[in-house]
Amino acid sequence: MKLERFYTYAMIGDSVVGFSGAYTVTVTLKHDFEASPDDHLRCAQATEHYGFVAMLEAEVSVAISEHSIRIPDARAKQHAIAVNVGVTSNHLDAQAAVLAHRALEKARNMVGSAALAA
């Protein structure tokens, strides 16, 4: 699966999308309310580009006929992500790709087992 890339300077609400057959995976940058003060301090010390701590959340949907059906139980999250701490967003893209693949595997396992039960 090829996933889009985040812009150099990301902000809350930015997302990237990837496709694999009938599956669509969306990875979104969200507020991380579970990040520790140490995470925030680490990020503030490491950047001069208005860095912050956030979380990534991957959601999967599958296309069936003309409908797109979300698979909420296949969500995957990664907390305490440092955003805008360098001159590129390569680390953010790499973490999003790992998260997207994890969520896609969950979804495939769930849909596959549901198809066998039907």
Side-chain angles (χ1 to χ4, degrees):
M1 169 181 56
K2 179 135 173 83
L3 198 63
E4 295 173 339
R5 299 175 56 95
F6 283 99
Y7 291 110
T8 300
Y9 295 108
M11 55 192 269
I12 298 297
D14 285 355
S15 62
V16 292
V17 179
F19 302 95
S20 179
Y23 295 92
T24 302
V25 182
T26 305
V27 182
T28 306
L29 196 61
K30 296 185 173 188
H31 289 286
D32 189 354
F33 298 107
E34 296 179 23
S36 72
D38 288 339
D39 292 327
H40 291 284
L41 184 60
R42 173 181 47 86
C43 186
Q45 291 173 340
T47 184
E48 55 191 50
H49 303 288
Y50 304 106
F52 58 94
V53 175
M55 68 176 259
L56 287 172
E57 182 178 65
E59 285 187 331
V60 182
S61 60
V62 62
I64 299 176
S65 297
E66 296 178 11
H67 304 283
S68 180
I69 301 170
R70 285 189 193 170
I71 307 170
D73 291 340
R75 282 188 181 142
K77 296 178 183 180
Q78 176 72 39
H79 292 276
I81 304 288
V83 182
N84 299 340
V85 294
V87 293
T88 68
S89 64
N90 290 344
H91 72 286
L92 191 59
D93 295 328
Q95 291 172 320
V98 168
L99 203 59
H101 285 288
R102 189 180 312 150
L104 181 60
E105 279 304 307
K106 277 186 187 177
R108 283 183 174 155
N109 290 337
M110 295 171 69
V111 170
S113 62
L116 291 174

